[in-house]
Amino acid sequence: MPEWLTNIFSLTREISSKVATPIFVTTGLILFLPDDIASTLGIDELRHTFRTWIGFFFLFSAAALAVNFVWMIAGILKPPIRDFIFIQLNKSTLRTLLENEKAVLRPFIHDGEASIHGNVNDGTINLLEHKRLIARSSSISIRYTIFPFILQPWVREYLTKHPELLD
């Protein structure tokens, strides 16, 4: 894509809706008002003389509003879509747990524990934390290396529905 075209798209993103909306409305009214109302307002000559520039600003502000609208919708939709994809990808991780990983997770589901205490030097605890299945719930330790860990909410929900994965 040519650089000048990229710069125009970047510029439309930078223009605030607070600026683009009045420009869009004003130029739209100037362009599309019926002739009798335009002559009453005294803008009929202005409209005919500067029609090209008014049309340019109308289209440019419409583009800026459209880009801002798309970015707003993307900002709203991105977190739930990202979370859904993350959970779907990590469900396969739960299906392929090793026996020592299952042993760490069993107290959460079978015993109903809200948190367990684990040694940060334990490779299994670190692996589960790295896989984002458990999380350290406090920065205060017992004897410098024992920390409380909690199960991620999506993991608890999935393993509660599928406890056979821990057998």
Side-chain angles (χ1 to χ4, degrees), residues 20-41:
T21 302
I23 293 172
F24 178 76
V25 170
T26 304
T27 56
L29 287 173
I30 291 172
L31 287 174
F32 301 117
L33 275 177
D35 288 334
D36 57 333
I37 296 174
S39 63
T40 304
L41 293 174

Side-chain angles (χ1 to χ4, degrees), residues 19 22 25 49 70 72 82 86-87 110-111 113 151-152 159:
V19 173
V25 170
T49 306
V70 167
M72 180 190 69
R82 183 185 62 230
F86 173 79
I87 290 170
H110 293 306
D111 301 337
E113 295 288 334
L151 196 61
Q152 294 287 357
L159 288 178

Side-chain angles (χ1 to χ4, degrees), residues 93-157:
T93 302
L94 292 173
R95 290 186 204 103
T96 59
L97 290 171
L98 301 173
E99 190 56 40
N100 57 349
E101 295 171 323
K102 291 178 184 181
V104 172
L105 296 177
R106 276 188 198 110
F108 289 112
I109 303 304
H110 293 306
D111 301 337
E113 295 288 334
S115 68
I116 61 168
H117 286 81
N119 194 324
V120 291
N121 296 325
D122 183 355
T124 305
I125 294 286
N126 284 323
L127 181 61
L128 290 172
E129 188 177 17
H130 179 72
K131 289 180 178 181
R132 298 188 205 170
L133 301 180
I134 63 172
R136 194 180 307 179
S137 63
S138 175
S139 60
I140 299 172
S141 68
I142 301 170
R143 286 175 266 145
Y144 303 111
T145 60
I146 308 293
F147 287 90
F149 288 90
I150 57 171
L151 196 61
Q152 294 287 357
W154 70 269
V155 177
R156 181 177 296 281
E157 180 181 327

Side-chain angles (χ1 to χ4, degrees), residues 65-85:
L65 288 171
V67 168
N68 286 337
F69 179 74
V70 167
W71 277 102
M72 180 190 69
I73 296 299
I76 291 170
L77 294 178
K78 186 178 178 180
I81 290 172
R82 183 185 62 230
D83 292 346
F84 176 78
I85 291 171

